[in-house]
Amino acid sequence: MKSASWIGRARSWPLLAVLLLSACASSPPQQGSSNARPAPERSDADQMAATALALWGTNASTNGSQALSQIQQATQAAPERPELLWLHLRLCTEVPGCEPQPIEARLRKLDPGSGAVWLGPLARAQARRDARAEAQILEMMSKAAHFNVYWTTLVAKLSPPLSRTPVATSAAQPVPTPLTNAMNSTIGWLSSLAIPAFRAATQACDEQHVREPETRVRCQQVAQALQKSDTTLAEGMGLGIEQRLAIPDSASAMQVTDKIQTVRHQSRAAAAVVAAQVEKEKFSEQQLKLMEQLKKEQDVSRAILRWAGQPLTP
């Protein structure tokens, strides 16, 4: 049963709208804002990318080749969009027989500051036990500005087209929530693609490897870049590496622990606010608009907590 306070907030949609507007007030209106009608190319690319994700998510072993065909068409229709290339890269990595190197090269050109494009090469070096290549790739990753996976952009762009498919509409519910169903599916499938990608970085900076001085320095820099990324996952992994590198019981170790607790609190508390909503479709619509404007998952969580009147710290 939902408390009266949550019901009251669930009906206060103007407050979330004000929050959305205030979040965007510091930057000029963009041509591709959510209020404008999307260009046909963008709509087509989003639909094809959503179809690719759904094909893979519902039955990866059977639908892998179809998913690759769809996402390849999407990236051809919108070659300037790094989020679609990242999705193409991750699907390629997960489908046997696909060669990811050309996609990685294209993504490096679109987003040269991203360390995420080196995660695949790092994993392949680890798989063949090539310590020299692993060290060289880790050095490249240490120069990254971030490890973005374009999380909020993908969720915002792919959920609406998915909401019109059987994935979102076939479930029998007392009150149909196709947009909410689509957003939940999108988040789940994107998580399944993103989480394995980061394991290589964690392995490269595990307790054994960081005993080597040069690796320790590189991992410290990788940890900093991870914390500047657009997902709680990447930030948390960066904090985990930094915690591993910190001297036990030192001031820096305690600072890292505080950061970890704050990130965990914000993520869990925001998820609780979302789960408590009564008018789920309206809230999902507002949440996706927020994701259109805020490029980091962590910023979306903080915005939701401010709207709900919840503290940002534990």
Side-chain angles (χ1 to χ4, degrees):
M1 180 179 294
K2 310 298 187 296
S3 67
S5 61
W6 289 127
I7 294 173
R9 290 193 183 108
R11 293 173 178 168
S12 301
W13 299 113
L15 291 177
L16 189 55
V18 168
L19 176 63
L20 174 61
L21 290 173
S22 64
C24 309
S26 59
S27 59
Q30 301 296 313
Q31 186 175 359
S33 67
S34 59
N35 291 329
R37 179 173 296 179
E41 294 83 358
R42 194 185 83 174
S43 296
D44 292 344
D46 291 340
Q47 180 63 65
M48 288 184 285
T51 300
L53 184 61
L55 283 167
W56 178 85
T58 52
N59 196 330
S61 59
T62 302
N63 299 332
S65 60
Q66 290 178 278
L68 281 178
S69 176
Q70 287 291 316
I71 191 59
Q72 184 174 7
Q73 291 179 57
T75 55
Q76 289 172 346
E80 77 292 347
R81 291 175 58 182
E83 75 275 11
L84 296 184
L85 264 182
W86 166 256
L87 181 56
H88 189 183
L89 174 59
R90 289 304 304 140
L91 289 173
C92 177
T93 304
E94 293 294 316
V95 176
C98 185
E99 296 294 334
Q101 291 88 341
I103 308 171
E104 290 166 344
R106 290 170 60 195
L107 187 54
R108 281 190 205 104
K109 290 182 179 180
L110 276 185
D111 192 353
S114 175
V117 297
W118 295 105
L119 292 171
L122 181 64
R124 295 193 292 273
Q126 291 170 344
R128 62 178 184 267
R129 300 184 183 278
D130 189 339
R132 183 177 179 181
E134 184 176 357
Q136 292 173 340
I137 295 166
L138 193 63
E139 174 67 19
M140 297 298 297
M141 290 172 63
S142 71
K143 295 176 170 57
H146 59 77
F147 282 73
N148 289 351
V149 296
Y150 323 101
W151 181 263
T152 61
T153 300
L154 283 170
V155 175
K157 300 294 187 188
L158 303 190
S159 296
L162 271 176
S163 71
R164 299 184 288 272
T165 70
V167 167
T169 58
S170 59
Q173 293 177 289
V175 179
T177 56
L179 188 60
T180 303
N181 296 347
M183 185 167 65
N184 290 339
S185 294
T186 301
I187 289 171
W189 294 331
L190 289 176
S191 297
S192 296
L193 288 171
I195 290 172
F198 283 92
R199 289 175 184 154
T202 301
Q203 181 178 332
C205 295
D206 63 16
E207 290 189 13
Q208 179 179 352
H209 285 89
V210 297
R211 293 172 185 168
E212 200 277 320
E214 289 186 1
T215 301
R216 188 178 185 88
V217 171
R218 291 168 182 150
C219 286
Q220 182 66 60
Q221 294 169 329
V222 168
Q224 293 298 318
L226 283 165
Q227 292 174 61
K228 298 173 184 175
S229 303
D230 62 357
T231 60
T232 302
L233 168 69
E235 184 178 6
M237 288 189 169
L239 288 168
I241 294 172
E242 190 169 348
Q243 188 178 48
R244 191 175 302 136
L245 295 170
I247 299 173
D249 301 321
S250 65
S252 60
M254 288 187 285
Q255 289 176 351
V256 174
T257 299
D258 288 343
K259 289 180 182 178
I260 291 172
Q261 291 175 344
T262 298
V263 170
R264 183 181 296 127
H265 162 77
Q266 290 177 355
S267 179
R268 291 178 177 176
V273 171
V274 173
Q277 299 310 306
V278 175
E279 299 182 50
K280 294 188 181 297
E281 284 294 89
K282 289 183 179 180
F283 194 87
S284 294
E285 183 180 354
Q286 294 294 327
Q287 193 176 350
L288 289 173
K289 288 180 180 179
L290 201 59
M291 288 181 172
E292 284 266 10
Q293 302 297 334
L294 301 178
K295 301 306 179 185
K296 297 181 69 172
E297 178 190 11
Q298 303 93 312
D299 289 339
V300 173
S301 294
R302 286 188 282 266
I304 290 172
L305 291 178
R306 291 190 185 99
W307 167 78
Q310 296 293 303
L312 298 183
T313 55

